[in-house]
Amino acid sequence: MLSFLGIGAQKAGTSWLYEHLRRHPEIHFPVGKENHYWDGLERGKRDESIAEYAKKFTGSSKGVYGEITPAYATLRSETIARIYAEFPDLKLLFSVRDPVARAWSAARMFMDAAWLTCDDVDEGFLWQLCSSNAFTQRGDYASCLRKWLQHFPADQILVIDYASILEAPENVLARVIAHLGISQSKGWPHSQKLRTKVRQGVEWKMPSNLGDRLAAHYTGHVGAFEELLKKHFPQTEISCQTWLSQF
């Protein structure tokens, strides 16, 4: 049965989570990473029924079954309601990152996929891209989580700090498996690989003016996220104090 979903955020460590969690003998990803079933359903791009989708998460192996698709962070409330109706005990994993850093990482990925470099575009293009509605939605963590909290209780959602993945990856994985209700496994994780980036993107320095503009753009969203954490996740150790100030 589908036990958990990784719902994002994009460019906030979801590939790292997938690569290490899939090596645990009791964590199974039968459809791999980024199956895009639920967002595909919203856009009319998936023909299989929910029953057919759910059937993929059955098996004889001990443990939990799930998938990670960052696009799920921005699902519509009615889609999340359907998920809850089918899987009310689902555990959710949501990782967050300084939204300016997240946007810049996503922009580099976008440009690399289009065979572009920073020399091919001007700062105006970069601003329009990083402040676009699609990019802003993915960095507006409060709005993303509010929709999920309309249907799922907060104790079924684990919020993960990208900075903690960099600083204390062992602790992050320990929290995840505790949240999923499984135990530590001998030989897992491979500690020597925990600080290795799973996907090394292209490295381009962000123009300083762009960083300032994006920091102002995301200030309100960060404030709303801090308030949401205080209200629904008071035990979290996530600190947003250094966000928006490192560019």
Side-chain angles (χ1 to χ4, degrees):
M1 181 177 180
L2 182 65
S3 303
F4 70 92
L5 285 179
I7 60 172
Q10 182 199 52
K11 309 305 294 181
T14 58
S15 292
W16 180 89
L17 281 170
Y18 171 74
E19 287 301 325
H20 290 289
L21 292 179
R22 73 184 182 90
R23 291 181 169 86
H24 191 290
E26 294 183 28
I27 302 178
H28 311 287
F29 291 95
V31 297
K33 185 175 184 282
E34 301 204 38
N35 184 55
H36 287 282
Y37 175 74
W38 296 103
D39 58 308
L41 203 63
E42 280 191 348
R43 294 180 289 129
K45 295 183 178 294
R46 297 300 288 261
D47 295 326
E48 62 187 320
S49 68
I50 294 177
E52 290 172 320
Y53 167 78
K55 189 175 181 181
K56 295 178 179 179
F57 298 92
T58 59
S60 57
S61 298
K62 177 184 177 182
V64 295
Y65 292 75
E67 66 142 322
I68 296 176
T69 299
Y72 293 165
T74 57
L75 289 175
R76 296 194 293 261
S77 182
E78 53 266 34
T79 302
I80 299 171
R82 294 181 72 181
I83 296 172
Y84 181 76
E86 297 289 337
F87 310 101
D89 298 322
L90 200 64
K91 298 295 180 65
L92 303 169
L93 308 174
F94 184 62
S95 54
V96 298
R97 179 183 187 180
D98 182 320
V100 175
R102 193 221 68 79
W104 182 238
S105 180
R108 298 198 314 268
M109 180 178 69
F110 174 90
M111 290 191 294
D112 189 50
W115 294 76
L116 295 171
T117 71
C118 284
D119 295 329
D120 298 316
V121 298
D122 60 23
E123 191 170 316
F125 172 86
L126 295 174
W127 161 251
Q128 290 184 332
L129 180 63
C130 291
S131 64
S132 66
N133 184 57
F135 273 50
T136 301
Q137 279 187 327
R138 288 164 173 78
D140 184 359
Y141 309 131
S143 292
C144 292
L145 280 176
R146 282 194 202 103
K147 288 184 294 182
W148 286 90
L149 286 164
Q150 288 174 357
H151 308 284
F152 285 87
D155 62 5
Q156 288 178 221
I157 305 173
L158 178 65
V159 184
I160 301 166
D161 187 1
Y162 179 83
S164 295
I165 293 176
L166 301 179
E167 297 166 3
E170 297 91 346
N171 294 344
V172 172
L173 292 177
R175 289 176 62 218
V176 171
I177 64 170
H179 184 65
L180 297 181
I182 57 177
S183 59
Q184 183 75 18
S185 176
K186 184 178 180 180
W188 179 91
H190 300 291
S191 58
Q192 69 273 24
K193 298 180 180 180
L194 289 181
R195 287 172 171 77
T196 301
K197 285 191 175 182
V198 172
R199 290 186 180 178
Q200 181 66 53
V202 290
E203 295 293 340
W204 295 318
K205 183 175 175 57
M206 181 191 298
S208 59
N209 290 340
L210 177 64
D212 293 340
R213 294 179 73 184
L214 288 175
H217 176 71
Y218 282 105
T219 294
H221 298 305
V222 172
F225 179 58
E226 289 180 305
E227 290 302 312
L228 182 140
L229 288 178
K230 291 177 184 176
K231 180 177 180 180
H232 296 284
F233 305 94
Q235 303 305 316
T236 185
E237 297 179 356
I238 295 175
S239 173
C240 307
Q241 292 181 356
T242 60
W243 287 8
L244 311 179
S245 62
Q246 52 185 311
F247 302 98

